[in-house]
Amino acid sequence: MRWCLALLVFCFLAVANALSSSGNRLAVILEDAADKELYSTFWGDLQARGYNIFFESPKNERFSLFEYGERAYDHLLILPPRSKGFGPSLTPQKIVEFMNKDGNVLLALSGKSATPSAISSLLLELDFHLSADRSSIAVDHFNYDVLSAPEKHDVLLLQRPGQLRPDTKAFFAGEGVLAFPRASPHTLGDSSQLVAPILRAPVTAYSYNPKEDAPTVEDVQATGSQLALVSAMQARNSARFTLLGSADSLQDKWFSATVKAPGSGKETKTANQDFAKQLTAWTFKETGVLKVGKVEHHLAKDGEVTADELNPSLYRIKNETVFDIEVSEYNYGSFVPFEVPANDALQLEFTMLSPFHRLDLQPSRRTENSTIYSARFVVPDQHGIFSFRVNYKRPFFTNIEEKHEVTVRHYAHDEYPRSWEISGGWVWIAGLWSVIGSFLAFVVVWLYSAPTPTAAQSSKKTQ
């Protein structure tokens, strides 16, 4: 009995200490168990953040991402295999189905071996494009590590992405240099708005196949900033997929490596460990997760609004209306008030078939865990079925999609303003009463004005 209670307490603490907002079950696909020791620091960081790691081999026939129709894991980390594939349990269809059930995936590549065709097909479906030979690596003769790659120049030294891209600064900012050994580069398609680069190659980098062993490179597919080393894709259901071009950058030796750039007189420590934490935190939904709390709308009035006056289903045209939405951001284990990034806006649409109003929501007040955004507007002079709609979809943030329908009616017969209340109608009122007054004056004058007698009438009276 005691061991059962202890097990329940342990499970409760494991769930309570998990920093991810979507669960702590992490499946790691590692073909060779001996390679596990190469990433010991990386595994320790994940376990310290509350993840329950399950190491699985792609050759295990009993392994499955699903159990009884539901996903058996919350997150999936795939390290590059040495064989040509992952088996029937990790086909592109299975991984896409895993994401459709809100699973998150971190896929790491390596230039040491050719990428399996199944992985290439998966990436192509998600709008990531590898080189045609699938064995190319990124090479740069100006930004490489002099200590570890003095001849091959295949260990790229890069600045943190937060220093180069302001929109990623909130999640990947920091100081230091990143080392990417034998990175497999990729390019991004133009057809999808769900894909965003996190770390691009320097402008002097290019894609090179070391198996060709040629002194010069011809017919280069992509060069410079066209090549991406780390990219992300967030699906419409907010499931996240991250593509890491260098699995070796997660190894222990590169977490604490000392590197030196060409022409630099000093050696520096790499920031790979901190970047790996930021990358996994975003992928596994420890950061950038938005939550909507209360959504309220009511007629504008002075004083406090009662509960009966909140969220009415019927409005009248030209009513002054107030809309409030409460938004929180999940950040490493707790919800904090959400702040809209600079040069961006959280917008409200009051729409029928098309928006009649599109307004920027402004922060009106803050609580300990959330920010309340508000907008005030006048209902348009159009009756029908309208919707309060907030549709906020930005890179690196989960989607906000709120829609609340209301009915807008015309004025009732006793709600129209009287004629004397309309200043523009005073001319017509004055004209009406002037006609009436003139007619009454004419009648009075006509009734009380006797006609002047004529000479014939006077002679008849005397006779």
Side-chain angles (χ1 to χ4, degrees), residues 326-329 334-338 366-371:
E326 183 181 15
V327 185
S328 304
E329 180 182 358
S334 62
F335 282 99
V336 297
F338 171 63
R366 287 179 175 83
T367 65
E368 182 180 357
N369 300 320
S370 63
T371 304

Side-chain angles (χ1 to χ4, degrees), residues 267-286:
E267 301 177 356
T268 58
K269 292 284 187 179
T270 62
N272 285 29
Q273 184 173 0
D274 187 38
F275 179 72
K277 176 184 177 181
Q278 294 174 332
L279 191 66
T280 54
W282 182 86
T283 306
F284 301 150
K285 291 186 178 178
E286 296 179 44

Side-chain angles (χ1 to χ4, degrees), residues 30-326:
L30 189 62
E31 184 173 357
D32 192 350
D35 294 340
K36 179 180 176 181
E37 300 299 328
L38 300 176
Y39 306 89
S40 59
T41 305
F42 181 59
W43 308 137
D45 290 345
L46 291 173
Q47 290 174 343
R49 282 149 54 193
Y51 288 98
N52 192 8
I53 304 178
F54 301 89
F55 293 95
E56 300 289 347
S57 173
K59 299 179 181 179
N60 185 5
E61 298 180 355
R62 296 183 179 181
F63 172 74
S64 177
L65 293 174
F66 307 97
E67 185 176 3
Y68 304 113
E70 298 295 331
R71 54 183 170 87
Y73 306 95
D74 303 308
H75 317 286
L76 179 62
L77 172 59
I78 304 176
L79 294 176
R82 296 181 179 179
S83 58
K84 295 183 178 181
F86 288 106
S89 299
L90 290 170
T91 60
Q93 293 77 10
K94 294 289 185 181
I95 296 177
V96 171
E97 183 181 357
F98 180 76
M99 295 181 61
N100 289 336
K101 294 183 179 293
D102 298 331
N104 306 303
V105 181
L106 173 59
L107 174 61
L109 303 179
S110 176
K112 293 181 179 180
S113 59
T115 304
S117 58
I119 294 299
S120 179
S121 300
L122 171 66
L123 296 179
L124 189 62
E125 186 172 350
L126 301 179
D127 215 14
F128 299 100
H129 303 270
L130 300 177
S131 60
D133 51 23
R134 292 179 286 134
S135 299
S136 297
I137 61 174
V139 176
D140 191 342
H141 303 300
F142 298 90
N143 300 279
Y144 65 93
D145 182 23
V146 177
L147 303 179
S148 61
E151 297 181 357
K152 295 184 178 180
H153 302 174
D154 55 357
V155 179
L156 272 61
L157 299 183
L158 309 168
Q159 295 295 326
R160 297 286 288 274
Q163 301 172 6
L164 304 178
R165 292 177 50 84
D167 56 340
T168 64
K169 186 174 182 180
F171 304 109
F172 308 104
E175 298 180 356
V177 178
L178 301 178
F180 273 71
R182 298 186 65 84
S184 178
H186 56 274
T187 57
L188 306 180
D190 299 329
S191 60
S192 176
Q193 299 179 352
L194 307 177
V195 178
I198 296 177
L199 185 64
R200 290 188 180 274
V203 295
T204 52
Y206 62 92
S207 179
Y208 169 68
N209 186 0
K211 294 182 179 180
E212 295 180 357
D213 197 20
T216 59
V217 180
E218 299 179 358
D219 299 330
V220 179
Q221 182 180 1
T223 60
S225 58
Q226 294 176 335
L227 298 173
L229 302 180
V230 185
S231 300
M233 193 279 290
Q234 185 168 256
R236 300 190 187 278
N237 63 348
S238 296
R240 292 175 173 178
F241 181 93
T242 301
L243 179 60
L244 175 63
S246 175
D248 293 349
S249 64
L250 303 177
Q251 294 180 1
D252 297 346
K253 67 177 182 178
W254 292 108
F255 275 12
S256 58
T258 300
V259 294
K260 181 180 179 182
S264 176
K266 61 178 182 178
E267 301 177 356
T268 58
K269 292 284 187 179
T270 62
N272 285 29
Q273 184 173 0
D274 187 38
F275 179 72
K277 176 184 177 181
Q278 294 174 332
L279 191 66
T280 54
W282 182 86
T283 306
F284 301 150
K285 291 186 178 178
E286 296 179 44
T287 58
V289 178
L290 302 183
K291 174 187 176 183
V292 175
K294 294 181 180 179
V295 178
E296 298 176 344
H297 52 87
H298 56 85
L299 293 174
K301 58 173 292 188
D302 296 331
E304 187 176 355
V305 180
T306 63
D308 296 335
E309 295 173 328
L310 288 175
N311 302 331
S313 60
L314 185 64
Y315 285 94
R316 193 204 68 203
I317 60 173
K318 298 184 179 180
N319 273 149
E320 189 174 7
T321 308
V322 176
F323 178 85
D324 298 328
I325 183 171
E326 183 181 15

